[in-house]
Amino acid sequence: FNQSASGNNNIVARRNAPAEETNELMYPVWYGVEMIAPNTETAKTALLISDEYTDNYDIMNDLVMQYGTKYTQYQHPLLSSTNNSGEMAYNALPDSSAAVIGVPLNYYAYQAGSYTIATDSRFDLKEVKSAQLWDATTSQYYDLLTDNYTFTTAKGKNTNRFRLFVRVEREKSPEIA
């Protein structure tokens, strides 16, 4: 049962494994981030972190960002993360990519001005130990678990300013019936 373009088994299939294998399963941890525009419109993206995933497109876990060609006509920001397959709305990736390599964050600013990047509070953060945003413009890291980060940008799409580093520490995998 192959659920990944790179050949890894999908975590859902693994959850149906015998009990002795389930204890070794490192279930995924979600971390969401949002970008708030000057008009308070918000764009969101999320990471699904587990060594069960790859840096490529993992079927049923990654969600490709689809925004068409008319996005520049609207007063709405866009935010996505990237993996080897392109821009993702939801990006399933291994622990090492999230924590060590970092995940590029792409954004579209519909106008020049001040925008804010923040942790998406809809997610349970108890296993997220750090979330550091690297800003290549300032050459500094910003801790998104303790504070939002406000920055100024020109209008347009940017694919190389930000990189997100997220480190997780899991408790023992829950028993799955």
Side-chain angles (χ1 to χ4, degrees), residues 16-72:
N16 295 326
E20 61 274 4
E21 292 180 32
T22 304
N23 290 336
E24 296 178 19
L25 175 65
M26 297 305 279
Y27 60 92
V29 173
W30 282 93
Y31 177 74
V33 64
E34 59 189 9
M35 185 172 88
I36 306 158
N39 67 357
T40 69
E41 288 286 331
T42 302
K44 299 175 188 284
T45 190
L47 306 179
L48 181 57
I49 304 166
S50 171
D51 279 335
E52 299 292 318
Y53 304 129
T54 69
D55 287 319
N56 298 311
Y57 184 80
D58 292 303
I59 296 171
M60 296 184 61
N61 295 304
D62 284 314
L63 178 63
V64 174
M65 181 69 147
Q66 297 182 5
Y67 45 84
T69 58
K70 305 272 186 202
Y71 69 92
T72 59

Side-chain angles (χ1 to χ4, degrees), residues 16-169:
N16 295 326
E20 61 274 4
E21 292 180 32
T22 304
N23 290 336
E24 296 178 19
L25 175 65
M26 297 305 279
Y27 60 92
V29 173
W30 282 93
Y31 177 74
V33 64
E34 59 189 9
M35 185 172 88
I36 306 158
N39 67 357
T40 69
E41 288 286 331
T42 302
K44 299 175 188 284
T45 190
L47 306 179
L48 181 57
I49 304 166
S50 171
D51 279 335
E52 299 292 318
Y53 304 129
T54 69
D55 287 319
N56 298 311
Y57 184 80
D58 292 303
I59 296 171
M60 296 184 61
N61 295 304
D62 284 314
L63 178 63
V64 174
M65 181 69 147
Q66 297 182 5
Y67 45 84
T69 58
K70 305 272 186 202
Y71 69 92
T72 59
Q73 298 175 10
Y74 303 104
Q75 299 290 305
H76 194 353
L78 295 173
L79 182 66
S80 65
S81 62
T82 59
N83 65 20
N84 293 340
S85 298
E87 291 185 79
M88 299 289 141
Y90 297 119
N91 192 350
L93 67 161
D95 291 28
S96 61
S97 292
V100 179
I101 299 169
V103 181
L105 288 180
N106 300 341
Y107 68 88
Y108 171 74
Y110 65 87
Q111 70 181 35
S114 292
Y115 290 75
T116 299
I117 294 181
T119 296
D120 186 339
S121 61
R122 298 176 303 162
F123 295 94
D124 181 359
L125 300 175
K126 71 179 181 183
E127 294 177 319
V128 176
K129 298 307 174 195
S130 69
Q132 300 286 320
L133 180 70
W134 169 257
D135 184 340
T137 300
T138 64
S139 297
Q140 291 186 21
Y141 288 94
Y142 300 92
D143 183 356
L144 293 180
L145 292 180
T146 60
D147 204 4
N148 299 338
Y149 176 59
T150 299
F151 64 101
T152 303
T153 189
K155 177 182 179 176
K157 188 168 184 176
N158 191 304
T159 60
N160 58 10
R161 180 170 180 172
F162 295 120
R163 188 169 283 268
L164 181 63
F165 296 83
V166 179
R167 188 175 58 80
V168 299
E169 288 181 11

